[in-house]
């Protein structure tokens, strides 16, 4: 028997064992159809059985399809059984609270998780309908749950789904109460998942207790309390949830806070797992907010806001005239970079007298560090991800604000200990309304920050790949032949964070580059920053110089990576 034939037989046996254990008739039929097309379907079958989805610090995330290398009812049943077993082994008591978005399969996966929990004798609390991820994170704290599960793939493509785990105070500690898991919990849960036996032996109970809108009301009430009462509220905001689940909660929060109810992009207002009007359901992707800016023009909006589909991220779009110092493109609407929104929110909180720790990640701009240094406020920098941001400083100083450049902001860590696109939207609206009352804008405030701290121009080199080996090769190349200069300046820092993280950091006197694979998508990312002082008050010239330098830096790094 040839090696290829033996491999095909082994695959067929694996698939048959999976079929015999799969509790979902629909996915069994799907996998059977693949088997029926053998040998032509051998590559597809091999991909489905290349290995199980790995439970990491972001939980599970993958394409909706039958087999161990996909998101389906069998994988979710096994993951839930492993999680519940781990919670029991850790001595965790109390309910498991479960939320879900509107993606294909999300509700079924959430209900199955609840059944596994109750089947093991643990109370399960199910959110009443598809809701934003921050509502689930809030619910973990609100209900003093031992843990929480959110079924979502966030801003991944439509064919994906995912499974994120949060811990309560009992197992997560004070810093991790209502936050995503960090090592070693992820590896321990993964081991518990692999130890689960036949799925037919996993006991299933009822679907748990269905929570009512009291939970959502509590979230909205606390979200509104994040901003100061009685401030200016004359602000027109155009909004899109990008076919996700943010609209009802965000509009309720804005209305409760006293803002006019934001008009919604009509054909993106309702949840739709197909995401039919966007190439990728991510506000950062080209064209994703075109309908939003059209609505902003139509309604005369002052600013425009987009959430990603599970509403934990927030994108802000501002109107800039041709003579604006911040304008880098044609007159009209410009989406602010995450670092720009991050600095605006931090500055706003500082001006309001919020003292405590301000934190961001190694891939974010150096501007927050400069602001904290100048204003004598504690600052910390963490690895990428809010699971690290909310644990910044190790508890030595209470965290009051954290952000990451990928449009994630935590303006109220005691409310939601994770990124929260609803409270971020409220807070940026509060700032914009205050500035409007003074005859100014968010662009004006960015100019003020540039004049004080210099232009911090950030951008990305982002390469989406079909073959993950491309990323592996590029990281090996930059390590084997690390540049000695950036933009002609000698390096003053060269760091390789292996084995703790697959990250390379390069820094010169005026430039910085952080290179890493994405943790959630098949992308290689290089985060670029150039700091350009403002001379003689000419902010526009400083911005032009910085933009030119970043373009040169992108070309340098692309060549070094071979991409």
């Amino acid at each position: 028997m040839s090696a290829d034939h033996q491999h095909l037989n082994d695959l067929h046996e694996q698939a048959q064992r999976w079929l015999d254990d799969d509790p979902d008739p629909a996915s069994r039929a799907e996998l059977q159809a693949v088997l029926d097309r053998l040998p032509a379907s051998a590559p597809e079958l091999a991909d489905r059985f290349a290995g199980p989805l790995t439970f990491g610090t972001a939980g599970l995330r993958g394409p909706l399809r039958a087999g161990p290398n996909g998101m389906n009812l069998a994988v979710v049943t096994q993951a839930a059984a492993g999680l519940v077993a781990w919670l029991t082994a850790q001595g965790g008591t109390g309910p498991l609270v479960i939320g879900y978005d509107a993606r294909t399969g999300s509700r079924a996966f959430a209900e199955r998780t609840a059944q596994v929990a109750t089947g093991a004798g643990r109370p399960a609390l199910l959110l009443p309908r598809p809701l934003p991820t921050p509502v689930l994170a809030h619910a973990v704290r609100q209900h003093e749950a031992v843990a929480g599960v959110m079924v979502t793939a966030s801003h991944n493509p439509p064919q994906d789904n995912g499974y994120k785990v949060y811990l309560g105070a009992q197992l997560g500690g004070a810093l991790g109460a209502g936050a995503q898991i960090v090592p070693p919990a992820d590896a321990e849960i993964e081991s518990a998942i692999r130890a689960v036996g036949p799925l037919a032996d996993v006991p299933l109970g009822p679907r748990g207790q269905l929570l009512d809108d009291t939970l959502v009301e509590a979230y909205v009430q606390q979200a509104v309390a994040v901003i100061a009462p009685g401030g200016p509220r004359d602000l027109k905001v155009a909004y899109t949830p990008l076919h996700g689940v943010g609209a009802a909660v965000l509009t309720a929060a804005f209305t409760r806070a006293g803002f006019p109810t934001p008009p919604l992009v009509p054909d993106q207002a309702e949840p739709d797992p197909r995401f039919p009007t966007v190439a990728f359901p991510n506000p950062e992707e080209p064209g994703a907010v075109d309908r939003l800016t059209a609505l902003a023009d139509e309604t005369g909006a002052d600013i425009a806001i987009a959430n990603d589909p599970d509403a934990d991220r927030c994108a802000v779009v501002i109107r800039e005239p041709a003579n604006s110092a911040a304008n880098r493109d044609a007159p009209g609407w410009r989406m602010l970079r995450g670092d720009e929104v991050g600095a605006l929110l931090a500055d706003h909180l500082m001006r309001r007298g919020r003292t405590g720790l301000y934190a961001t990640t190694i891939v974010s701009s150096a501007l927050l560090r400069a602001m904290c240094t100048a204003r004598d406020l504690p600052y910390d920098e963490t690895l990428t991800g809010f699971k690290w941001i909310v644990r910044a400083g190790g508890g030595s100083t209470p965290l009051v604000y954290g952000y990451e450049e990928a449009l994630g902001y935590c303006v109220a860590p005691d409310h939601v200990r994770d990124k929260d696109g609803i409270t971020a939207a409220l807070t940026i609206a509060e700032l914009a309304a205050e500035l409007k009352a003074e005859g100014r804008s968010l662009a004006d405030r960015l100019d003020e920050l540039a004049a004080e701290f210099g232009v911090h121009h950030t951008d990305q080199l982002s390469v989406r790949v079909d073959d993950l080996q491309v990323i592996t090769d590029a990281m090996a190349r930059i390590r084997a032949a690390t540049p000695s200069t950036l933009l002609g300046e000698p390096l003053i820092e060269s760091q390789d964070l292996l084995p703790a993280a697959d990250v390379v950091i390069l820094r010169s006197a005026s430039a910085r580059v952080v290179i890493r694979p994405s943790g959630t998508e098949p992308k290689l990312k290089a985060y670029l920053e150039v700091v350009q002082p403002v001379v003689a008050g000419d902010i526009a010239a400083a911005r032009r110089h910085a933009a030119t330098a970043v373009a040169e830096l992108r070309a340098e790094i692309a060549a070094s990576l071979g991409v």
Side-chain angles (χ1 to χ4, degrees):
M1 180 184 295
S2 71
D4 286 346
H5 190 65
Q6 181 61 51
H7 178 61
L8 190 59
N9 278 348
D10 291 344
L11 271 178
H12 193 285
E13 289 179 10
Q14 279 183 272
Q16 192 58 56
R17 287 195 299 271
W18 185 270
L19 276 171
D20 293 342
D21 201 34
D22 191 333
D24 183 7
S27 62
R28 287 202 305 271
E30 176 193 331
L31 186 57
Q32 185 62 58
V34 176
L35 288 176
D36 291 345
R37 289 188 286 108
L38 285 173
S41 61
E44 179 185 350
L45 190 64
D47 188 41
R48 288 173 184 256
F49 285 85
L53 287 183
T54 301
F55 194 96
T57 52
L60 298 170
R61 195 171 292 187
L64 288 158
R65 61 180 182 180
N69 195 20
M71 284 293 295
N72 51 68
L73 200 65
V75 165
V76 167
T77 302
Q78 186 182 41
L83 171 62
V84 170
W86 180 82
L87 293 172
T88 300
Q90 298 300 308
T93 57
L96 179 67
V97 61
I98 305 153
Y100 58 100
D101 66 10
R103 284 179 178 263
T104 301
S106 287
R107 179 170 181 170
F109 295 163
E111 290 178 345
R112 175 52 62 98
T113 300
Q115 288 182 287
V116 171
T118 58
R122 184 176 298 277
L125 308 177
L126 193 65
L127 267 58
R129 60 180 182 277
L131 285 165
T133 292
V135 176
L136 181 277
H138 167 77
V140 173
R141 297 168 68 93
Q142 178 86 5
H143 288 276
E144 298 182 345
V146 65
V149 168
M150 182 68 193
V151 181
T152 179
S154 190
H155 56 282
N156 270 39
Q159 62 269 24
D160 287 1
N161 213 326
Y163 197 88
K164 294 199 292 189
V165 173
Y166 295 74
L167 292 181
Q170 188 181 22
L171 298 181
L175 299 183
Q180 293 185 56
I181 57 172
V182 293
D186 56 341
E188 293 171 356
I189 294 170
E190 169 74 10
S191 294
I193 291 170
R194 298 297 150 236
V196 173
L199 298 185
D201 296 341
V202 174
L204 300 178
R207 293 174 182 173
Q209 176 188 345
L210 188 65
L211 297 172
D212 59 25
D213 277 349
T214 304
L215 167 70
V216 183
E217 171 66 22
Y219 170 87
V220 169
Q221 183 176 341
Q222 291 189 33
V224 170
V226 168
I227 64 174
R233 296 292 189 265
D234 177 20
L235 188 76
K236 295 179 180 177
V237 178
Y239 172 71
T240 180
L242 280 186
H243 300 294
V245 297
V249 178
L250 182 135
T251 54
F254 267 65
T255 303
R256 177 75 61 84
F259 289 102
T261 302
L264 308 183
V265 175
D267 55 357
Q268 295 177 340
E270 296 298 322
D272 188 334
R274 300 169 301 159
F275 304 105
T277 68
V278 291
F280 284 93
N282 180 350
E284 293 179 290
E285 294 287 342
V289 297
D290 287 355
R291 283 171 164 78
L292 176 63
T293 55
L295 175 67
D297 274 329
E298 179 186 329
T299 58
D302 298 300
I303 65 171
I305 289 175
N307 286 137
D308 68 337
D310 67 327
D312 62 353
R313 289 173 171 82
C314 175
V316 179
V317 190
I318 63 173
R319 189 192 300 272
E320 290 186 334
N323 62 355
S324 168
N327 192 40
R328 291 183 290 274
D329 304 304
W333 294 95
R334 177 175 77 86
M335 180 182 290
L336 297 180
R337 291 189 173 90
D339 284 314
E340 292 176 305
V341 177
L344 285 170
L345 289 171
D347 179 70
H348 180 56
L349 295 176
M350 291 173 185
R351 290 170 187 256
R352 280 176 45 186
R354 291 282 296 278
T355 58
L357 181 66
Y358 286 73
T360 189
T361 72
I362 58 173
V363 302
S364 300
S365 169
L367 178 54
L368 182 59
R369 178 192 289 273
M371 292 165 61
C372 288
T373 300
R375 297 169 184 179
D376 197 26
L377 288 165
Y379 170 84
D380 196 18
E381 202 168 276
T382 73
L383 292 174
T384 306
F386 262 85
K387 58 185 177 285
W388 301 117
I389 291 174
V390 298
R391 294 171 171 89
S396 57
T397 304
L399 179 71
V400 295
Y401 173 71
Y403 93 92
E404 62 181 1
E405 56 75 42
L407 308 185
Y409 317 97
C410 177
V411 297
D414 291 338
H415 169 55
V416 170
R417 210 157 184 86
D418 196 13
K419 54 187 175 290
D420 183 348
I422 307 295
T423 52
L426 273 176
T427 308
I428 204 72
E430 177 186 46
L431 170 58
E434 289 179 2
L435 290 168
K436 182 183 178 182
E438 300 168 1
R440 299 190 298 148
S441 68
L442 295 177
D444 294 326
R445 179 55 53 83
L446 286 170
D447 284 352
E448 290 176 31
L449 292 172
E452 184 175 359
F453 300 105
V455 171
H456 286 65
H457 188 122
T458 59
D459 206 349
Q460 275 191 36
L461 169 65
S462 182
V463 182
R464 185 181 292 272
V465 302
D466 294 323
D467 182 0
L468 293 178
Q469 188 63 40
V470 173
I471 295 176
T472 301
D473 292 346
M475 294 301 295
R477 188 176 292 112
I478 199 73
R479 289 186 166 102
T482 304
S484 59
T485 63
L486 294 176
L487 298 175
E489 298 176 339
L491 291 188
I492 58 176
E493 179 185 6
S494 177
Q495 274 188 289
D496 186 346
L497 301 190
L498 280 178
D502 190 5
V503 178
V504 171
I505 302 173
L506 310 173
R507 190 192 308 267
S508 69
S510 65
R512 186 181 67 132
V513 178
V514 182
I515 305 164
R516 61 180 275 272
S518 169
T520 57
E521 299 177 272
K523 284 183 178 180
L524 175 66
K525 292 187 173 184
Y527 302 83
L528 316 171
E529 180 172 33
V530 168
V531 181
Q532 178 71 41
V534 174
V535 178
D538 195 343
I539 298 171
R543 291 192 188 280
R544 287 195 299 272
H545 292 152
T548 299
V550 164
E552 293 173 2
L553 185 60
R554 182 189 292 107
E556 282 187 14
I557 297 303
S560 295
L561 290 168
V563 295

